Amino acid sequence: MVIQITSIPENTQDVEHLVSRVFFKSIDLLGGLSKLAEFRTLTWLPSLARASYVIVLREEYLKTEEEIAEKVGLTKNTVRNILRADPTLALEKIKKLEELAKEELKGMKVHTAGGITKLAYKMIKEGQDAETLVHHCQIVSTEVAQILDVPWAYMVLKHIKGIKYPITEANQLLERLKDVKIKGHDAAEILNKLQYPIKNPATLLHEIKQVLSSKEEATYGI
């Protein structure tokens, strides 16, 4: 029996959100917009945007090279070259950014853009979003905590402002929260029971809430 793998119907909004996340993570990998401006390589952005679309449409929706080419406005050969790009080679190039900028000053090569966006896509799937998006998530979470009048959540987010994600161990949080009480409990008592790594501020608040709920259940038998 022949099994034919066909593409998955795409949700335009979901595609847009994931492509944007891959695009921003790609910029992060290159050192951020300020680094691109410093090396006068902001011209790389269109290549990264196109490659982000190509990788997401293939990985998430199993689109063919022809379908992707038509959607993104590229030739079939260009799409194929992006999909064949080596992320390991791209990582090596990123480590020598100054040399890469000199080699590809006018426009980023297809293979390089493909390799970087592949790497960015993989990291996002592992929970490592771009710093700029995590920072925005922190701001929104803090505002929501204030609006909903959740003092412990606001206090936690205020003290860990600027911390890098993913948080891989309790000590990273304890350094910032050692003098903080979380709903009457010492921070260490709560933070040592969280599930690490923690990918973003929303996950952190969810984990803390879970531990607090368990404590209340144990105390009141509910």
Side-chain angles (χ1 to χ4, degrees):
M1 182 176 68
V2 176
I3 299 175
Q4 187 174 3
I5 299 175
T6 57
S7 60
I8 300 169
E10 55 185 274
N11 177 310
T12 305
Q13 223 171 22
D14 289 345
V15 172
E16 194 71 23
H17 288 160
L18 186 52
V19 168
S20 299
R21 288 168 65 195
V22 174
F23 177 65
F24 283 120
K25 187 65 188 179
S26 301
I27 294 172
D28 250 20
L29 289 171
L30 290 165
L33 285 173
S34 58
K35 186 62 73 177
L36 294 181
E38 180 187 336
F39 287 120
R40 300 179 185 277
T41 49
L42 288 169
T43 51
W44 288 356
L45 296 178
S47 299
L48 292 172
R50 287 191 288 266
S52 298
Y53 260 109
V54 170
I55 297 302
V56 168
L57 289 174
R58 169 52 70 92
E59 296 294 333
E60 294 287 317
Y61 299 97
L62 307 178
K63 295 290 184 188
T64 65
E65 292 173 359
E66 290 84 355
E67 289 171 327
I68 296 171
E70 185 179 351
K71 172 91 177 177
V72 185
L74 297 170
T75 66
K76 185 179 163 184
N77 278 341
T78 302
V79 171
R80 183 176 299 152
N81 287 333
I82 290 172
L83 294 174
R84 288 179 177 176
D86 182 356
T88 307
L89 186 60
L91 186 60
E92 291 302 314
K93 287 187 175 184
I94 290 170
K95 290 177 183 172
K96 300 172 183 173
L97 191 58
E98 193 168 2
E99 290 178 21
L100 177 63
K102 287 176 184 173
E103 290 172 10
E104 304 187 18
L105 181 60
K106 290 182 179 177
M108 178 173 273
K109 292 176 182 173
V110 168
H111 279 100
T112 308
I116 291 171
T117 51
K118 270 187 178 178
L119 191 59
Y121 174 81
K122 180 175 179 291
M123 293 177 80
I124 285 171
K125 286 295 173 181
E126 293 171 350
Q128 300 178 57
D129 260 299
E131 286 296 326
T132 183
L133 297 181
V134 174
H135 176 66
H136 179 66
C137 183
Q138 168 96 17
I139 292 171
V140 171
S141 297
T142 304
E143 288 177 351
V144 170
Q146 274 185 298
I147 291 168
L148 296 179
D149 193 19
V150 187
W152 66 264
Y154 174 66
M155 191 62 69
V156 167
L157 293 170
K158 182 182 174 187
H159 278 76
I160 63 166
K161 188 176 180 182
I163 199 168
K164 298 285 185 185
Y165 290 87
I167 299 167
T168 55
E169 57 181 24
N171 283 341
Q172 292 173 258
L173 290 168
L174 284 170
E175 288 176 12
R176 307 283 193 99
L177 297 167
K178 58 185 176 184
D179 299 322
V180 172
K181 293 278 186 183
I182 300 177
K183 217 172 177 181
H185 303 280
D186 288 335
E189 191 183 339
I190 304 295
L191 301 177
N192 283 321
K193 294 183 178 178
L194 305 185
Q195 295 292 320
Y196 297 90
I198 292 171
K199 298 173 182 175
N200 54 52
T203 306
L204 172 62
L205 296 183
H206 176 73
E207 284 286 330
I208 292 175
K209 191 177 176 185
Q210 292 287 97
V211 175
L212 290 173
S213 297
S214 299
K215 281 187 165 294
E216 287 176 0
E217 286 176 11
T219 302
Y220 302 111
I222 53 178

